[in-house]
């Protein structure tokens, strides 16, 4: 197969995507796109010269029909080909040719989690609101049902307190004589035991490990959060994703594209200060592979990836319109894709990131299982409230007893 002996390739240096470095006079490549390009050069037996755009963009279409970034370099024939996870779009096809796609990636977003739930209310977290309401309804209806069904000679208030105490494993003092009464109260004991065990078993985990608030799930929720000013949304400058958002039929997606462009909310893959130091929580829209790379660089416990997919994009190599050997290149790319070699490079790159990240994680002291006073503040407040109420009731009983005693002595 004929292929040029030397090819000028346009790239954008990015960590984990296209890395270039010189060590001890030896040139080294790193990153998934660099390794893929090196694999192509070995198969097609060509040498390459690398060239980067001065603006560091993928490519933005100007009003006069010219392009910036990598697409502009290929359009002006400053380079023969360009690759850096370039997606195939209708506008780009008018300016440059593309090879066969070598990978397909979903476009979604990662978002910073809103934080942990306050530990003060941790006593209520084991059950959701529906469960608490159901337990309260059962507890309110049960005394009336038992009194009517068993014909008990006991007040509703006293039986209510008896049943309430059974949840904390307090014994029942109700006189149980008939078989029907034993069966009814045994069923209640079984119910109270199950509820109590489920609650107590879940409570410690909710206190020990702080619960995270629910992160944004889809693009509609992200758009609403950006409108409220609680979140900022970032994208790569010159990325095709931005034009996809701006031309979408859905209003909330067009809003995201417009506000990103108007506020210049662009992020640099190698410099993430806009995400890590911002007082307002941030979200990043990009393809799934890059987002996984970002999670490896960020505090991944503080970020979540949405399952909502904006679009699936084909990534290919951009070629000059008059490039001589497109069919030869397509043949090799098709074989590499069929063999799963690019998917293998992805997994290896992800593994390299997580291994390097795990070294720092294991060096940190994990004190997440250590309980502090703030973690059990809800239980302490509940206990203090119980003591106060009990003291008030005891005081009232003593006063009532003293008044009755004085009244009796006065009659005598």
């Amino acid at each position: 197969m004929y292929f040029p002996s030397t090819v000028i390739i346009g790239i954008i240096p990015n960590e984990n995507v296209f890395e270039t470095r010189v060590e001890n006079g030896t040139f080294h490549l790193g990153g998934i796109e660099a390794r893929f390009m090196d694999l192509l050069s070995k198969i097609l037996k060509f040498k390459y010269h690398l060239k980067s755009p001065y603006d560091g963009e993928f490519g933005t279409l100007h009003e006069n029909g010219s392009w910036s970034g990598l697409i502009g370099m290929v359009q002006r024939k400053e380079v023969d080909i360009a690759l850096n996870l370039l997606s195939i779009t209708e506008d780009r096809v008018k300016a440059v040719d593309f090879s066969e796609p070598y990978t397909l990636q979903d476009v979604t977003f990662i978002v910073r989690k809103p934080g942990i739930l306050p530990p003060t209310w941790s006593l209520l977290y084991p059950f959701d609101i529906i469960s608490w309401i159901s337990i309260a309804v059962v507890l309110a209806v049960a005394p009336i049902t038992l009194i009517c069904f068993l014909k008990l000679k006991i007040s509703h208030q006293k039986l209510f307190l008896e049943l309430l105490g059974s949840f904390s494993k307090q014994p029942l003092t109700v006189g149980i004589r008939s078989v029907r009464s034993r069966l009814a109260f045994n069923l209640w004991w079984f119910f109270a035991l199950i509820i109590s065990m489920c609650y107590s078993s879940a409570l410690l985990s909710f206190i020990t490990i702080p619960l995270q608030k629910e992160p944004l799930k889809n693009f509609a929720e992200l758009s609403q959060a950006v409108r409220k000013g609680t979140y900022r949304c970032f994208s790569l400058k010159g990325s095709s994703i931005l034009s996809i958002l701006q031309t979408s039929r859905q209003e909330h997606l067009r809003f995201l594209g417009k506000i990103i462009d108007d506020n210049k909310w662009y992020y640099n893959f190698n410099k993430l200060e806009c995400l890590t130091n911002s007082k307002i929580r941030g979200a990043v829209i990009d393809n799934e592979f890059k987002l996984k790379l970002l999670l490896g660089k960020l505090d991944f416990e503080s970020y979540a990836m949405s399952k909502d997919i904006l679009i699936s994009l084909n990534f290919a190599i951009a070629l000059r319109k008059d490039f001589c050997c497109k069919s030869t290149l397509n043949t090799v790319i098709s074989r590499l894709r069929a063999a799963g070699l690019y998917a293998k490079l992805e997994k290896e790159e992800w593994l390299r990131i997580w291994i390097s990240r795990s070294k720092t994680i294991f060096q940190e002291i994990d004190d997440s299982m250590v309980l502090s006073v703030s973690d059990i503040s809800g239980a302490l407040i509940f206990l203090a409230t119980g003591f106060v109420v009990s003291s008030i009731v005891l005081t009232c009983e003593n006063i009532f007893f003293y008044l009755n005693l004085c009244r009796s002595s006065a009659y005598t």
Side-chain angles (χ1 to χ4, degrees):
M1 295 183 294
Y2 171 75
F3 204 83
S5 59
T6 303
V7 179
I8 302 175
I9 303 176
I11 58 101
I12 299 176
N14 274 326
E15 188 178 357
N16 302 119
V17 178
F18 209 113
E19 302 174 2
T20 58
R21 65 185 187 277
V22 178
E23 295 180 359
N24 301 324
T26 305
F27 181 74
H28 295 276
L29 289 174
I32 183 171
E33 291 287 273
R35 295 177 63 194
F36 182 65
M37 182 209 67
D38 191 55
L39 184 61
L40 289 174
S41 70
K42 292 177 179 177
I43 295 173
L44 294 170
K45 296 181 173 56
F46 67 86
K47 295 181 181 180
Y48 49 82
H49 298 290
L50 304 179
K51 191 174 182 180
S52 301
Y54 69 92
D55 53 17
E57 294 184 21
F58 291 89
T60 302
L61 178 60
H62 301 304
E63 294 181 357
N64 59 3
S66 63
W67 285 78
S68 63
L70 287 176
I71 301 298
M73 294 176 67
V74 179
Q75 183 189 38
R76 295 186 299 269
K77 300 181 181 180
E78 297 175 6
V79 297
D80 299 313
I81 66 175
L83 76 163
N84 202 288
L85 291 174
L86 293 173
S87 59
I88 304 174
T89 64
E90 184 178 355
D91 291 334
R92 290 177 177 180
V93 169
K94 297 176 182 178
V96 300
D97 279 345
F98 280 94
S99 68
E100 286 283 328
Y102 53 82
T103 185
L104 177 69
Q105 294 286 337
D106 296 329
V107 176
T108 182
F109 66 91
I110 60 171
V111 63
R112 190 166 187 174
K113 296 178 181 178
I116 63 174
L117 292 169
T120 305
W121 303 104
S122 57
L123 288 174
L124 302 178
Y125 294 155
F127 297 144
D128 60 7
I129 184 65
I130 302 299
S131 300
W132 281 118
I133 293 176
S134 301
I135 293 173
V137 170
V138 171
L139 190 59
V141 174
I144 301 175
T145 304
L146 291 174
I147 290 175
C148 296
F149 180 68
L150 301 177
K151 297 181 173 55
L152 298 176
K153 296 181 180 180
I154 187 173
S155 66
H156 177 271
Q157 294 83 356
K158 179 174 175 56
L159 185 56
F160 173 82
L161 294 176
E162 291 274 351
L163 298 181
L164 179 62
S166 65
F167 285 112
S168 58
K169 301 178 182 179
Q170 297 296 319
L172 291 173
T173 60
V174 180
I176 302 175
R177 297 179 181 178
S178 65
V179 176
R180 185 170 58 176
S181 299
R182 291 194 183 97
L183 178 60
F185 279 101
N186 283 336
L187 289 174
W188 175 261
W189 259 109
F190 181 75
F191 168 75
L193 178 64
I194 295 299
I195 296 297
S196 176
M197 290 179 63
C198 292
Y199 178 82
S200 59
S201 61
L203 179 61
L204 183 59
S205 62
F206 280 96
I207 294 177
T208 306
I209 302 177
L211 286 179
Q212 294 283 344
K213 296 179 181 178
E214 194 73 20
L216 302 177
K217 296 180 181 179
N218 50 53
F219 284 94
E221 292 183 1
L222 176 61
S223 178
Q224 292 176 2
V226 174
R227 286 181 187 273
K228 293 178 182 178
T230 56
Y231 277 84
R232 289 179 182 175
C233 188
F234 298 89
S235 182
L236 284 173
K237 189 176 182 181
S239 171
S240 61
I241 297 174
L242 193 57
S243 62
I244 292 172
L245 291 171
Q246 293 172 338
T247 57
S248 173
R249 295 181 180 180
Q250 302 183 50
E251 191 276 333
H252 65 275
L253 296 179
R254 293 197 304 271
F255 168 77
L256 288 176
K258 185 177 185 301
I259 198 169
I260 291 173
D261 189 45
D262 291 345
N263 293 281
K264 308 301 178 186
W265 285 346
Y266 305 123
Y267 79 97
N268 188 326
F269 192 79
N270 297 323
K271 299 177 181 178
L272 302 175
E273 289 82 2
C274 62
L275 298 176
T276 55
N277 297 332
S278 178
K279 294 182 180 179
I280 300 178
R281 301 182 186 96
V284 178
I285 302 176
D286 213 323
N287 65 74
E288 190 175 6
F289 174 73
K290 281 191 176 179
L291 294 180
K292 288 182 179 180
L293 297 182
L294 275 178
L295 287 177
K297 300 179 69 174
L298 298 168
D299 182 9
F300 56 85
E301 292 183 353
S302 300
Y303 287 81
M305 182 180 294
S306 171
K307 295 182 180 180
D308 191 19
I309 297 175
L310 174 65
I311 194 173
S312 296
L313 294 177
N314 284 307
F315 292 95
I317 299 176
L319 312 170
R320 289 193 343 247
K321 284 288 187 180
D322 59 349
F323 189 70
C324 64
C325 307
K326 179 179 177 180
S327 60
T328 303
L329 181 61
N330 285 340
T331 301
V332 175
I333 290 177
S334 298
R335 292 173 180 174
L336 292 176
R337 183 184 59 195
L341 290 179
Y342 193 87
K344 178 178 180 294
L345 294 178
E346 284 184 346
K347 293 179 181 179
E348 289 178 353
E349 198 63 34
W350 292 336
L351 181 61
R352 184 166 72 94
I353 292 173
W354 292 113
I355 288 176
S356 61
R357 182 64 190 270
S358 64
K359 293 179 180 178
T360 60
I361 294 176
F362 290 133
Q363 289 175 356
E364 298 175 357
I365 299 176
D366 184 11
D367 58 352
S368 60
M369 301 298 291
V370 179
L371 288 176
S372 62
V373 175
S374 61
D375 293 326
I376 59 174
S377 58
L380 294 176
I381 292 174
F382 186 77
L383 179 63
T385 303
F387 282 150
V388 170
V389 173
S390 300
S391 300
I392 293 174
V393 172
L394 178 61
T395 302
C396 293
E397 287 181 349
N398 288 334
I399 293 174
F400 181 76
F401 176 77
Y402 178 76
L403 292 177
N404 284 339
L405 183 63
C406 293
R407 190 178 305 167
S408 300
S409 61
Y411 286 144
T412 58

